[in-house]
Amino acid sequence: MKQIIVSGMRPTGKLHLGHYLGVIQNWVQLQDKYECYFFAADWHALTTKYDKTENLRQNTLDVVMDWLACGIDPEKSVIYVQSLVPEIAELNIYLGMITPQNWVERDPTLKDMAKILKTKEGQGQQINYGLMGYPVLMSADIMMFNADFIPVGIDQVAHIEITRDIARRFNNLYGEEFFKESKPLLNNCSLICGLDGNKMGKSFNNDIKISDTAEETSKKVMTAITDRSRLRKDDLGHPDECEVAFKYWKIFGSEEEVSNVRCECEQGQRGCAQCKRQLAEKINSEFEQIRERRKYYEEHPEIVEKIIAEGSAKAREKAKEVLAHVRKLVRMY
Ligand code: TRP
Ligand code: SF4
């Protein structure tokens, strides 16, 4: 019997290279060793964007297409949409009943989200009941499949702590060691910075998307920050102060290529424009296959819809079993 992995992403739109390197590559490898459940957390998206749902469906499709293109394989993993597994909503109710209010109130990630919402960027939004339930709903996601491990970023670990507390409380209250205490598996989220040297993010307009074309990627890479002290091509360069381009080389180049770039840069034999053109080619060749596959899915949305429908049906089968046992333990009618 394989151990179980559950992880999800809020469908906020097309994913970027930070998601690929930090999260999806990791998921792709986990698929061979674990029974994996990967889902688009569309209810979680609603906790803050309930008033902006016009792109929710497309965003969900986009996220799933990115996963598929990157090698998340519906033959190996269960790929589903959270809201297509309504059993999660019922489990959420039982878990909400046994969760003390102060457990969610002191959740640091939730506090951060609340802070952002109150600022101008968040348009001074009030905090709604659903957002307060964010960690409980996340616990329902995880406990629905009685997961052993949850691959997440460091910012999500507090939520997993609450999940463990809720699982323990459930087991104590209803007299059976039914739910496991899931453990986080940390993603490496700081692998790649944005083109401007800040954290890569869609809202900062400094990202390269998995789905960008080779031309779009090249254009973006040409804007990457380099050694700011360098004005002319034959000025001696300082790769370690080349804020973005050289860092990308270290991610995408071979050892030999990187030492070659370093050498030529330091000796003033390599201009930054030429250097970045080469870098863009390197990135484009790494993503060529992924982008071809992505294009195929874009042109065949019915295949993606079918994968989502079948994955969600599979997820429901397992969820129904867990839920039947939960109803029995809670002594529902
Ligand atoms: N909160 C997670 C995020 O923003 C997404 C998520 C929802 C999730 N439910 C989950 C992740 C369950 C792991 C397990 O990244
Ligand atoms: Fe950076 Fe390349 Fe320019 Fe050197 S030549 S500063 S490594 S972009």
Side-chain angles (χ1 to χ4, degrees):
M1 273 269 277
K2 283 184 181 170
Q3 290 185 300
I4 295 172
I5 293 250
V6 171
S7 198
M9 278 186 201
R10 277 173 289 168
T12 51
K14 293 175 174 160
L15 302 177
H16 54 61
L17 302 199
H19 294 117
Y20 175 71
L21 295 167
V23 183
I24 307 174
Q25 261 190 337
N26 188 20
W27 287 9
V28 169
Q29 287 180 351
L30 293 169
Q31 295 185 107
D32 293 317
K33 225 177 117 197
Y34 296 96
E35 182 177 329
C36 292
Y37 294 83
F38 297 126
F39 69 100
D42 54 350
W43 279 328
H44 277 106
L46 282 189
T47 61
T48 54
K49 301 260 167 69
Y50 53 84
D51 55 345
K52 273 195 229 88
T53 52
E54 58 278 4
N55 298 325
L56 188 54
R57 189 188 165 81
Q58 185 57 45
N59 287 348
T60 300
L61 275 173
D62 273 323
V63 166
V64 173
M65 284 194 279
D66 281 330
W67 295 349
L68 294 169
C70 292
I72 303 295
D73 181 349
E75 301 284 320
K76 295 182 187 167
S77 301
V78 183
I79 300 169
Y80 61 102
V81 171
Q82 184 185 34
S83 68
L84 292 178
V85 186
E87 288 73 15
I88 295 167
E90 187 175 337
L91 181 57
N92 182 50
I93 290 181
Y94 303 127
L95 301 185
M97 301 304 164
I98 67 167
T99 306
Q101 187 175 336
N102 65 358
W103 287 12
V104 295
E105 278 171 351
R106 65 176 184 232
D107 176 358
T109 309
L110 208 57
K111 280 189 187 162
D112 287 346
M113 287 175 86
K115 235 183 265 164
I116 295 169
L117 281 180
K118 284 183 182 154
T119 62
K120 234 211 245 126
E121 198 192 336
Q123 296 158 346
Q125 264 191 59
Q126 284 294 322
I127 297 179
N128 51 302
Y129 171 72
L131 182 62
M132 288 312 292
Y134 194 107
V136 179
L137 180 57
M138 193 158 151
S139 301
D141 292 329
I142 293 166
M143 291 161 67
M144 191 83 264
F145 302 100
N146 220 343
D148 293 280
F149 298 106
I150 322 297
V152 282
I154 185 90
D155 61 317
Q156 300 292 312
V157 170
H159 290 145
I160 313 277
E161 290 300 326
I162 296 184
T163 302
R164 295 157 61 90
D165 290 341
I166 295 177
R168 209 175 300 132
R169 188 164 160 77
F170 185 98
N171 292 345
N172 283 335
L173 278 167
Y174 299 112
E176 187 183 317
E177 286 298 305
F178 178 59
F179 284 117
K180 293 180 207 160
E181 290 181 28
S182 318
K183 296 177 194 63
L185 276 185
L186 271 198
N187 288 329
N188 197 345
C189 284
S190 50
L191 275 177
I192 188 167
C193 62
L195 293 158
D196 57 2
N198 298 313
K199 183 178 185 292
M200 186 177 278
K202 156 175 139 161
S203 45
F204 310 129
N205 219 343
N206 64 358
D207 63 348
I208 302 174
K209 304 265 195 278
I210 294 168
S211 51
D212 279 343
T213 62
E215 293 71 44
E216 285 164 335
T217 303
S218 301
K219 243 198 212 151
K220 287 184 178 180
V221 170
M222 294 313 283
T223 71
I225 294 187
T226 61
D227 172 2
R228 295 176 202 259
S229 69
R230 223 172 160 215
L231 301 175
R232 278 182 308 265
K233 171 181 152 125
D234 43 10
D235 286 345
L236 304 188
H238 309 87
D240 295 318
E241 277 147 56
C242 172
E243 258 183 72
V244 177
F246 191 64
K247 284 193 188 146
Y248 281 18
W249 268 116
K250 287 195 275 190
I251 295 169
F252 296 105
S254 66
E255 224 172 285
E256 198 188 328
E257 285 165 326
V258 174
S259 76
N260 194 28
V261 171
R262 174 186 287 284
C263 208
E264 289 180 8
C265 174
E266 283 172 344
Q267 292 171 4
Q269 292 166 351
R270 156 181 289 265
C272 291
Q274 169 210 0
C275 185
K276 290 195 277 189
R277 251 192 310 277
Q278 259 182 32
L279 171 64
E281 272 171 37
K282 190 83 208 153
I283 296 175
N284 284 333
S285 77
E286 172 136 353
F287 282 91
E288 190 175 84
Q289 248 200 344
I290 289 176
R291 286 167 172 166
E292 261 170 38
R293 276 202 297 253
R294 186 151 196 322
K295 199 151 166 272
Y296 173 79
Y297 287 118
E298 272 167 39
E299 286 161 2
H300 298 88
E302 72 286 356
I303 295 179
V304 184
E305 304 268 8
K306 186 157 175 264
I307 289 170
I308 290 174
E310 287 176 0
S312 301
K314 232 191 264 176
R316 281 195 82 174
E317 267 172 52
K318 167 96 184 211
K320 277 184 185 149
E321 282 171 30
V322 171
L323 190 59
H325 196 74
V326 166
R327 289 187 64 108
K328 209 173 105 204
L329 286 175
V330 183
R331 301 191 192 85
M332 300 310 291
Y333 191 76

